Each structure stands twice: as structure tokens, then as C-alpha cells.
Amino acid sequence: MADLISELRAGLPDGAVLTDPDLLRGHQRDEADLVPFGLPAVVVRPRTTADVVTVLRAAARAGVPVVPQGARTGLAGAANAVDGAVVLSTVAMDRIVEIDPVNRFAVVQPGVVNAALAGAVAAVGLRYPPDPGSWESSTIGGNVATNAGGMCCVKYGVTAEYVLGLEVVLASGEVLRTGRRTAKGVAGYDLTKLFVGSEGTLGVITEVTVGLRPAADAALTLIALFPTTAAAGDAVAAISSGGFAPSLLELLDQTHLRAIEALRPMGLRTDAKALLLASVDTGSRAPDDLAALEAVCASAGALEVFAATDAVEAAELLRARRLAHPAMERFAAETYPDGSGGLIIDDIAVPRTALAAMLDGIEKIAAEYALPIGVVGHAGDGNLHPNIVVDRHDPDSVARGRAAFDEIMRIGLELGGTCTGEHGVGLLKKDWLAREIGPVGMAVHRSIKAALDPGGLLNPGKIL
Amino acid sequence: MADLISELRAGLPDGAVLTDPDLLRGHQRDEADLVPFGLPAVVVRPRTTADVVTVLRAAARAGVPVVPQGARTGLAGAANAVDGAVVLSTVAMDRIVEIDPVNRFAVVQPGVVNAALAGAVAAVGLRYPPDPGSWESSTIGGNVATNAGGMCCVKYGVTAEYVLGLEVVLASGEVLRTGRRTAKGVAGYDLTKLFVGSEGTLGVITEVTVGLRPAADAALTLIALFPTTAAAGDAVAAISSGGFAPSLLELLDQTHLRAIEALRPMGLRTDAKALLLASVDTGSRAPDDLAALEAVCASAGALEVFAATDAVEAAELLRARRLAHPAMERFAAETYPDGSGGLIIDDIAVPRTALAAMLDGIEKIAAEYALPIGVVGHAGDGNLHPNIVVDRHDPDSVARGRAAFDEIMRIGLELGGTCTGEHGVGLLKKDWLAREIGPVGMAVHRSIKAALDPGGLLNPGKIL
């Protein structure tokens, strides 16, 4: 290991090789709960593709695992270190290489923060739509490695849909370029999409070419409050089967509603069992579309529908959604007043028609395991995030949380869903991936991993 | 071989195993030119996934190659038989298994014709956008295997964007299910996209789950005629960098314009060097958008802009585009009056800003090789189809056609393009794929092929 560290210091710029114990401890894990993490032997912060080649070649010669990390905002443990590994942090690869407004693409290093890219392309009248909850701090490299989602997906799709091409350093240290800069292209296997969402297990992404879109019109927004989750589910189904293309369709359950009202009173009816938040952004057509969405919510039995009449009111409504996580964190803290309350955040996607059944199932699980579970999610995609409130100081509470988490997965798969809608597999969902895709699917995964990383040194133990 | 055929007859339904010499000859090739094809030993027409398993297991035991075929409308030779192979035709797997209007997906067998699926989903108010030129006869399985494009792509994207999941029979005869029925999902490697566009080299697709969209509004359409290709290129660049989202943006060059006027006089100005055809389909906003597109074309220097005022006129304008291929075929026939005139159809995509340079390059190549070359294409995607007119009875003419074809590829790659925008690699573009993606890219392709088809029996010689 000392040899490897010397080799890294010799081959990388000053300050790029970190062995300070505090820094090593600061690079052990992402934000996932319930999963293990180790202590890296060294953290490297390359600046260039050539630096990454140096790291991977040296690690391959030494037979030492390499764990790529972005901003460590992930929620599945995909960036968690293993003991003795080289952690390869991309945060210093933060250069926007090129923005081409006519061909509508941008080329960035992986450490560019999502918000920095979004801001830079907005300055030339364009838009990079993917908007994971972590967008103000997470990196494009991490977004690509986990195929991050967000609130825009119901209309604009997930990260994968915006990745035109990649530069990837393979386990061997060879540099692979995938994809293209053209709008279309079908030359060979889609290696780009193979690396998107592969969570650092097949190569280290060193450059990303993303497609851009025209800036969207300012959105019009409404909230609707429902007496039952079934009624909210009906409204989502009616919206999805109608001719609508909402640019946002989010759900908050009663637990979230009450937590948000407790954190910051907004006059929301806390007797409602579910709140839907919907936006439309299609210019001059938007008012008609919003009125139609209002009517759909009313006929699905909404207690109340409130449409924002201007951008200020719309921002106010979106604030409720943005407060969901801090509100639940405060709720957890207050549920266990010794400060030991915590959240286990899950991520599941089901067909939209199964939303109400999934919400009912989660409510039953909460009762069965005697744990509060709040649900927030991207209803338009059938993608829910159950937040299980546990007492971290009580092993029994944590064990019940874990069991409730597994039970939610089980019901989700039974309803035709997938074990992860947007957070990824990492360490958290490995068992569930195997259950979801079966032995043939796992065998194909293993054969691809072996083909690209025969030594098994890239982010070992993740996904597979 | 006799043993294999007996085994296939024993394991498959009556009529599913064909050895009639005329039928074998009828399954030798797709519509690509310039590439070799062989004579299969047997053609099988499975009806079910189990039938396909039977075929692949028997072929694997016998060590005989399997070449999957759909409607054989491909243009790169990806469906061409090799001597002694089993041709696996999916045309009898033509069942629409399920249409789910609320969750917006359909499940189909691979032999379902694109137009049949489009019609079936239109009947429930939805839309399957991908519209390759062959859509009235080509199959969804073939569309997926080649990742087919079409005219809708400029707004609605290529086939890959609509494939949610697949059932694939692997070379081993094992059945792999990929993807999901949910709107979102990131569970594991994106095996779905790996098989899309893999041209039958990694497995045989036996079921496809496609995402559907709401029906689009009726489009408004204009044509604009330009005095130079550069002016048309400028208009495309201005449209692409503006806030527009045209649902169609097609280009015809002067050769096509004249060929169409000769086939069916429509009063188009044949002194124009290029025609752009543009549509918008965003409902109440469309008239404003169309007026803006008109203004953009005018300031780019259009000789004439004509906007359709109703659907009948719009259909008339689209007719010119649809006549492009028959018009060029007649032009080729008339260029060499002994009936020996033929077309070599190319497919290249460049960044939109390079359109004018690409068109100029093609014009120079036509002069240099003394061959007429007409260009039609999806200008909004930078995707052009040069049609090289050759005398099939004259080996020198065909050789010059081949040289011109290669020269077009060379210029396209130099301009930052890709060697195939939507037709695929097949046999036609193998050398150019290698030049485009380089030795590391090819090595990764070979390692994935070896991982999934270690015996090399699936569609051998294609892509790689």
C-alpha cells in the first residue's frame, strides 16, 4: 500500500493524494442508511482524464480496489468505501468544457455540480432538465453513475435520456469514448447507456456529453387535497390516461402534510390523506391544461383544489414539496425526543395504476411494524419514497425499520414494480435486485462485469 | 444439418420449419446494397418464446449460426443470411399481447408490424411515435434490433426511447427479461438498451414492452425553398438554437426536388437548391410557432415559404417528402435507360451546424465521382440520406458509387458525425464503425459479444 501511495503521489498533481485520517473518514460513505462502509487507505482527487488513468493503472498493478465518489449524496451506498480501497473523488474535475447552443449539447467533467451546469446553460437560453433532489450539491458524474431522477421526470425523463456520450477510463486504464455529439446515432452497441447507472462498477466516467433542451416556459401550478389515498391515486391515473403532459406531478401523504404544517404553517388541510402538486409548462396552452387538471382532481373527489394564479403563488406551493425532507427530519427528531429519531428512505416505483394499492400497503406495514412511515413521491411516474421513522438508539426499532423496508419492496414487486425508481442499487438493494431480475438477469450482469472488469477492482460489492 | 432440421420439425408447430428452396432464397437478405448474403439451410417461423428457445438450443447443440429476421426492410444487411444458417423469422410472432392505456405501455411480440401497433394504440387515444420510413411493413422486433429512427425523431426521439423492457432468448436458450413496466426504474445495468440496436448479435428478442405517449395534436406544416444549401443549413441552425420544438424538420435537395416534380408536378420551384419541410404540433400554440418558423426561414434567405392553412394542405406538403424515394428510383431508372439504374442509400448524422458543410461535401463528391447523388434527410437531427445513383450493369459505376459512399462517411466523421444515424451497422458499416469508435471501443464490443454469445452463433459477422 505504501508503494501504491508513493506511486500515486509521483504521478498526480500536488494535493491530489490525501491520507489524512480525518479526510479518509470523511470519504467513507454516501447518505444511505442500513448499509456497511469501510475505511479507504487513500483518497485521490484527479483533475484530468490522464490523472484517472494514472490512478487506475497503479491500482490495477497493486490489485487494490477503486471506489469512485462524487458529492456522496447518493442514497443506496453505491459510493461507500471498502477497507483499504483507493477512493477516487471526482470533485476536482469540475470544468464545463464546452456548451454548444446550436447543436444543443454540453461537455463537462464529472465533478461539475448539477446546479452549476443548469445555471450555465440557462445563461444561453437552454435547459438541462434532470433535477434530482440533491441538484444543488450532487455532481453530473454521480447523477450519470446512478441514473438520477427528480421531479421533472414525469415529462422530461431521467438522466439517461440526456447523456449523448461518455469518456470512461476502464479498469485496465484504457480510455473508452462512447456515443456521439450528434442528435441521432446507432453505431454499435449502446455502451453509453450501459455505463449510465452502472454505479462505478464498469469504469470511471471522466467526461460527459449531455443533450440540452430549449428553456421551458414558466410553469402554472396547482395543489389538490384528497380525503383518501385511493382518490389521489384515481386522479393520478386519470391524468396519466388523459392527454395531459404535466411537467410535475408530486404526492405528499398525510404524515408529510402534517409534518410540513408543523414545521411551517401554510394553511394546508391536515385532515386530507394526500396532497397532489401538479404543474404544466406548455406556454399559451398552460391555462387550459391547468383548468383541465383542476377538473380531473375535482371529479376524483378532491376536498379542495387551489391553483396558483402567478409565479409567486406557484413558488409558494412548490415550497411545501421542498420542505418535505426537512419536515420529516424534524418529525423524526420529535418522535424520539432524545435526538435519536432517524429516517430510512426507501425508493420504489410501481405502475401508476398501482399507486393507491402501494400507498394502502405502506399504511398497513406502518401499523404492523408500529413505525410511522411518511410517503412522498413522484406520483406521475409511480415512484414513491417511503420514509420510515426509527429510533436509531433502539436496535429493535431499527430492525423493525429494516423489516418494514423489505416488506415495502416485496409489495412493490408484487404490484409489478421495481425495487428502485431512481436511487439505484448500491449496497442497499442488492438482494432485491436479484429477486427482481432473477438468476438469468444476474448471470448476464456478472458476465458483463467480468468482461469489463475481470479483476473485480472497480467499486467491488456494489450492484452485484 | 439433417439432424438439426429433424429436431426443429419435432420441436416446432406444423408449418414452422421451411426448407423449400424458393423460400430459402426469399430469406437471404434485407434491402441493403453492396453487401454479401448467403443461403440459409432452413427458415423457422416460431410463434412463441418457447419455440425460439427450442430453435436456439437445437442450433447451439449443432453449432449452427442463427440469423434473426423481421420484415427484411433493413438497409445495412443486418438481417442477411450466412450460408447454412438457421434463419429465425419473427413474422409469425405477431400478437399484441397487451395495451395498458393508464400506465401507457404496450406489450407486443416482435413480429407485430409498426403500423399495426400504431393503429391499435391510436384506437385508445395514445401514440407510439417511432415512424421509420418502412413503418407500414417493418416489425417492432426489427425496429428495436436496429434502433430505428424516422421523421418524428427531431421531437419524439428514436425507438430506444420507447423501449421499457424486453424478453430475450440468449444464445444458450435461457430466457432473459429486462427492464420494467413502470415509468421509471434504475435496477441494475440497462440491459434493455444494450439489446436495442444490437442487431440480433446478442440474443433474439421475443417480447417488447414499449412506452406510449398521448396522441399528438394535428400538426401545422410549412415548406421553405432556399437558393443555397448554406441558407437551408442556416435556417436549421436558427430553428435548433431557438426555443422551437418542431415535430418534423426534413430536407430535400435539388436533385430530389426535381425528381419529385418530374414524377408528380406540384409546382415546386426547381431552381431552389434545398427544400425544408417543418411541422409543429403543440396545440393552441402551434400557429404562433409556425409563424415564427416562417420568419426564421425568411431571414435565412428563403426564396419562398408556404404554410399550409389546413390539414389537407399539410398532407399535400408531406406528400412531396413521401415521394422522395419513389421519385429517386424513377430518376435512377431514367438516368440509365436500360433499366440498370439503381440507388446506393447512405445514412450519416452530423452536428446540425455541420449540415451545410456536409451537403457541400456531398455535392463535390458527386462531381468528383461523376455520379448523381440526391440528398434527403432528417435535417433537424443532422441525419442525411445521400442516394447515390449508379449503373448496376457497369462495374466501374458501382465501384465509383462505393468509393463515393466511403468518401461521404469520411467527411461525415471529420465533421464530428457518426457513420450511421438510424440504419445501423449490419455488414455495410463495419469498417466505418471501427474507424469511428477506435480499438478500445471495438475491444469492449467484442468482450460484450463474447460474454453473451461465447460460441459466436448469433448473427455472426454483423456489427463486429
Side-chain angles (χ1 to χ4, degrees), chain A residues 103-104 184 240 352-353 422, chain B residues 103-104 240 352-353 422:
Chain A
N103 295 306
R104 285 187 188 157
K184 270 159 92 177
S240 302
R352 295 178 191 102
T353 43
E422 58 178 15
Chain B
N103 296 307
R104 286 189 188 157
S240 302
R352 294 178 193 102
T353 43
E422 59 179 15

Side-chain angles (χ1 to χ4, degrees), chain A residues 172-401:
Chain A
S172 61
E174 289 173 300
V175 179
L176 171 71
R177 294 200 73 98
T178 75
R180 53 183 204 278
R181 292 175 162 209
T182 53
K184 270 159 92 177
V186 291
Y189 300 154
D190 192 345
L191 300 181
T192 304
K193 295 293 193 293
L194 181 62
F195 284 96
V196 174
S198 67
E199 301 182 1
T201 63
L202 301 179
V204 178
I205 294 166
T206 49
E207 193 180 274
V208 185
T209 302
V210 295
L212 305 173
R213 295 285 181 278
D217 293 310
L220 300 185
T221 298
L222 65 76
I223 56 171
L225 290 145
F226 294 88
T228 63
T229 52
D234 288 348
V236 171
I239 291 168
S240 302
S241 61
F244 307 107
S247 54
L248 183 140
L249 185 52
E250 300 283 309
L251 177 140
L252 297 163
D253 74 348
Q254 192 175 42
T255 304
H256 275 85
L257 205 52
R258 291 181 173 172
I260 291 165
E261 272 296 306
L263 180 66
R264 184 193 153 99
M266 304 176 75
L268 298 173
R269 279 184 66 159
T270 52
D271 61 330
K273 295 287 266 186
L275 177 153
L276 283 184
L277 180 68
S279 295
V280 289
D281 65 359
T282 42
S284 57
R285 186 178 171 167
D288 292 348
D289 281 355
L290 199 77
L293 290 185
E294 265 189 89
V296 168
C297 290
S299 24
L303 297 169
E304 197 177 338
V305 185
F306 178 75
T309 53
D310 59 31
V312 177
E313 276 189 5
E316 193 63 24
L317 297 183
L318 281 169
R319 193 191 307 258
R321 172 66 182 88
R322 296 225 172 86
L323 284 174
H325 189 63
M328 277 303 289
E329 283 190 321
R330 176 159 144 179
F331 172 73
E334 288 178 350
T335 303
Y336 303 103
D338 61 347
S340 63
L343 297 176
I344 297 173
I345 300 174
D346 203 350
D347 166 46
I348 190 147
V350 294
R352 295 178 191 102
T353 43
L355 261 185
M358 190 71 226
L359 290 165
D360 288 352
I362 295 169
E363 203 174 320
K364 289 198 186 88
I365 292 166
E368 188 183 338
Y369 291 92
L371 291 170
I373 304 180
V375 184
V376 59
H378 314 302
D381 294 316
N383 184 196
L384 299 177
H385 299 306
N387 282 247
I388 306 166
V389 182
V390 296
D391 180 353
R392 291 190 186 285
H393 294 175
D394 173 5
D396 176 63
S397 173
V398 174
R400 278 183 288 129

Side-chain angles (χ1 to χ4, degrees), chain B residues 147-442:
Chain B
N147 193 9
M151 291 205 271
C152 76
C153 304
V154 65
K155 181 165 181 181
Y156 293 101
V158 296
T159 299
E161 296 186 30
Y162 297 87
V163 183
L164 297 179
L166 295 171
E167 182 187 75
V168 179
V169 181
L170 300 174
S172 61
E174 290 173 300
V175 179
L176 171 71
R177 293 201 72 99
T178 75
R180 52 183 206 277
R181 292 175 165 212
T182 53
K184 269 159 92 178
V186 292
Y189 300 154
D190 192 344
L191 300 181
T192 304
K193 294 293 192 293
L194 182 62
F195 284 97
V196 174
S198 67
E199 302 183 1
T201 63
L202 300 179
V204 177
I205 294 166
T206 49
E207 194 179 272
V208 185
T209 302
V210 294
L212 304 173
R213 294 285 181 280
D217 294 311
L220 301 185
T221 298
L222 65 76
I223 55 170
L225 290 145
F226 293 88
T228 62
T229 52
D234 287 349
V236 170
I239 292 168
S240 302
S241 61
F244 307 106
S247 54
L248 183 138
L249 185 51
E250 299 283 306
L251 176 139
L252 296 164
D253 74 348
Q254 192 176 40
T255 304
H256 274 85
L257 205 51
R258 291 182 175 173
I260 291 164
E261 272 296 306
L263 180 66
R264 185 193 151 98
M266 303 176 77
L268 299 174
R269 278 183 68 158
T270 52
D271 61 330
K273 295 288 265 184
L275 177 153
L276 283 184
L277 180 68
S279 296
V280 290
D281 66 359
T282 43
S284 58
R285 186 178 170 168
D288 293 348
D289 281 355
L290 199 75
L293 290 184
E294 266 188 89
V296 168
C297 290
S299 27
L303 297 169
E304 197 177 338
V305 185
F306 179 75
T309 53
D310 58 31
V312 176
E313 277 189 0
E316 192 63 24
L317 298 183
L318 280 169
R319 192 191 306 257
R321 172 66 181 87
R322 295 226 172 85
L323 285 174
H325 189 62
M328 276 303 288
E329 283 189 322
R330 177 159 141 177
F331 172 72
E334 289 179 351
T335 302
Y336 302 103
D338 61 346
S340 62
L343 297 176
I344 298 174
I345 301 172
D346 202 349
D347 166 48
I348 190 147
V350 293
R352 294 178 193 102
T353 43
L355 261 185
M358 191 70 225
L359 290 166
D360 289 349
I362 295 169
E363 205 175 319
K364 288 199 188 87
I365 291 166
E368 188 182 338
Y369 292 91
L371 291 170
I373 305 179
V375 184
V376 59
H378 314 302
D381 294 317
N383 184 195
L384 298 178
H385 298 307
N387 281 246
I388 306 166
V389 182
V390 296
D391 179 353
R392 290 189 189 286
H393 294 175
D394 173 7
D396 175 64
S397 173
V398 173
R400 277 182 288 131
R402 174 86 221 196
F405 175 93
D406 281 337
E407 190 64 10
I408 290 169
M409 295 290 99
R410 195 186 60 72
I411 292 182
L413 292 196
E414 261 181 31
L415 290 170
T418 174
C419 68
T420 171
E422 59 179 15
H423 291 172
V425 175
L427 295 169
L428 190 61
K429 300 282 176 84
K430 281 169 68 168
D431 295 346
W432 286 99
L433 176 69
R435 288 175 72 157
E436 181 173 335
I437 71 175
V440 177
M442 289 305 290

